[in-house]
Amino acid sequence: MSQIVEIKVPDIGQSTAVDVIDVLVKVGDVLAVEDPIITLESDKASMDVPTPYAGTVKEIKVKVGDKIAEGHLILLLATEAAIAVEAPKAAAAVATAKAPEPKTVSSTPVNEEKETEAELLHASPAVRRLARELDLDLSQIKATGPKGRISKEDVKAYVKNGMQAGGAGFNVMAAPVIDFSQFGEIEVSALSRIKKLSGANLHRNWVSIPHVTQFDEADISDLEEFRQSEKQKAEKKGLRLTPLVFIMKAVAASLKRMPNFNASLDPSGESLILKKYIHLGVAVDTPNGLVVPVVRNVDQKSVFQLAAELADLSERARNKTLKPQDMQGSSFSISSLGGIGGTAFTPIINAPDVAILGVSKSSYKPVYVDGSFVPRLVLPLSLSYDHRVIDGAEGARFCRQLVEYLEDIRRLVL
Ligand code: CAO
């Protein structure tokens, strides 16, 4: 006869709450005793929590991002009374938690070949996940942990050394360690997990890609008039029709005309991989840092569909419910600071894309038309591109193409 048991957080060796960084099981999974069910991460270490019973997962009571401590309910498990074994003692659980074995249960779709190869390497699920998120090959990372394990510090050191950029290390002077409290009162505030991850990616992209940023301006007075005329219709559908969705359509049309911008450089640096799909990464500002969800097949969608998807993705980015798949597969990115302000900026390319469009706030400017200055709404654009792939002239032409579409969106249907 089966019975429902509550699986709670065992003694994890610290009294304060720690982050749930991975939920390794889903409802319906059949578990054996000691199978890891969640990964926790404290300031010092990450650890897997194993199930003390065999059984079938009935209900999961935690999610990634929760902060939990000893005794917190993790999940409900249906067990056969006959096969339920005594829960491991707290100390045993701690021992397991301190030395988690590599495991393969994962909610993240991964390249199976890579994973099998990676399984042979010693690294905790949290370290594997970090490596996956940073798109690093574990086999390239030097392990310095006990028994040849790859630690988080090893991953960080690898990223810092810039070894993944074709072996081109950057030997810069280490930043000095300064005790700022000698100059006045200070407070130390930990960086969020997203900030740390995106920081490592941004750093890699900034140092490994030769960026050029091309600036341009589009007269969007007519577009704005059209947007205002459609705004109410959108509101009735519960949608916000911001300039961004029109910009996305104009970018998609420009990418079709200039496919080199919708591409990735082959890791060998020998060829360009041109993408037949147009998936746009859109940078979203969240309280925890920058995330870049991807809107797929932008060329095939209406501005209303794009507005709905953008609202959904940015909402999920802000309440931390985006899935890894939602942030994969971009072929070009847009970073819009138009809702905030500024006249121009130099966005960092979201590798493996080869270009990113920065959008600043439109404003009325005197524009010389037919012999006199008239007030026109002008939108500033900043296009950063990878100069290994794109020449300066192509960069300027792409901006001009985009401006033409934005200045007369009727061209989008041609
Ligand atoms: N010029 C003038 N006004 C603009 C504008 C522009 N370029 N872009 C947006 N606006 C207006 C919108 O129309 C809206 O006003 P109304 O409500 O009156 O229509 C207001 O500004 C706010 O827009 P928004 O920012 O909420 O919406 P969006 O569709 O433009 O952008 C999103 C959505 C998710 C991209 C945005 O909220 C965001 O997070 N931006 C920040 C991205 C970021 O951090 N980039 C930096 C990355 S590099 O470190």
Side-chain angles (χ1 to χ4, degrees), residues 227 231 240-244 247 282-285 290 310 314 318 335-340 345 359-362 379:
R227 185 178 79 91
K231 220 174 151 186
R240 281 172 65 237
L241 211 53
T242 63
L244 185 54
I247 296 168
V282 179
V284 175
D285 174 39
L290 175 71
L310 200 58
S314 50
R318 285 170 184 142
S335 173
S336 174
L337 296 174
I340 303 170
F345 64 108
V359 180
S360 298
K361 192 175 176 68
S362 60
L379 177 74

Side-chain angles (χ1 to χ4, degrees), residues 165-371:
F170 287 86
N171 295 319
V172 291
M173 204 167 66
V177 180
I178 299 170
D179 173 12
F180 296 100
S181 64
Q182 65 185 301
F183 308 119
E185 195 186 344
I186 59 165
E187 184 190 321
V188 178
S189 157
L191 287 181
S192 71
R193 191 175 141 70
I194 292 180
K195 271 226 160 108
K196 283 191 267 186
L197 283 172
S198 62
N201 271 313
L202 288 165
H203 190 186
R204 177 195 60 187
N205 297 346
W206 192 56
V207 297
S208 66
I209 301 173
H211 283 65
V212 175
T213 305
Q214 170 76 26
F215 302 103
D216 212 328
E217 288 180 338
D219 177 342
I220 58 163
S221 311
D222 297 342
L223 168 60
E224 181 60 11
E225 198 180 313
F226 178 65
R227 185 178 79 91
Q228 291 299 342
S229 72
E230 293 298 304
K231 220 174 151 186
Q232 276 196 337
K233 205 188 286 174
E235 272 161 20
K236 280 197 190 123
K237 296 181 187 195
L239 299 171
R240 281 172 65 237
L241 211 53
T242 63
L244 185 54
V245 284
F246 295 96
I247 296 168
M248 289 168 76
K249 287 302 287 183
V251 163
S254 305
L255 291 173
K256 282 210 156 168
R257 307 254 332 227
M258 302 185 71
N260 281 8
F261 287 80
N262 196 48
S264 286
L265 194 57
D266 180 86
S268 67
E270 299 282 323
S271 48
L272 197 58
I273 301 163
L274 298 159
K275 296 158 191 180
K276 304 288 179 191
Y277 50 82
I278 296 179
H279 298 345
L280 298 184
V282 179
V284 175
D285 174 39
T286 79
N288 294 304
L290 175 71
V291 285
V292 189
V294 178
V295 183
R296 285 167 207 275
N297 301 314
V298 170
D299 52 324
Q300 297 164 26
K301 291 177 179 161
S302 71
V303 285
F304 292 116
Q305 278 173 298
L306 294 177
E309 268 192 50
L310 200 58
D312 171 58
L313 286 170
S314 50
E315 165 76 17
R316 288 198 285 129
R318 285 170 184 142
N319 65 24
K320 297 191 197 166
T321 52
L322 282 178
K323 299 194 184 79
Q325 303 92 285
D326 295 325
M327 292 176 277
Q328 288 165 358
S330 77
S331 51
F332 181 98
S333 302
I334 300 181
S335 173
S336 174
L337 296 174
I340 303 170
T343 53
F345 64 108
T346 54
I348 295 178
I349 296 165
N350 181 27
D353 298 352
V354 293
I356 180 169
L357 179 74
V359 180
S360 298
K361 192 175 176 68
S362 60
S363 60
Y364 281 95
K365 285 187 173 181
V367 175
Y368 198 62
V369 183
D370 297 336

Side-chain angles (χ1 to χ4, degrees), residues 21 39-41 46-48 123-131 152:
I21 61 159
T39 307
L40 300 175
E41 185 176 64
S46 60
M47 58 200 104
D48 287 349
S124 72
V127 169
R128 283 168 194 282
R129 193 154 179 264
L130 179 65
K152 262 193 172 172

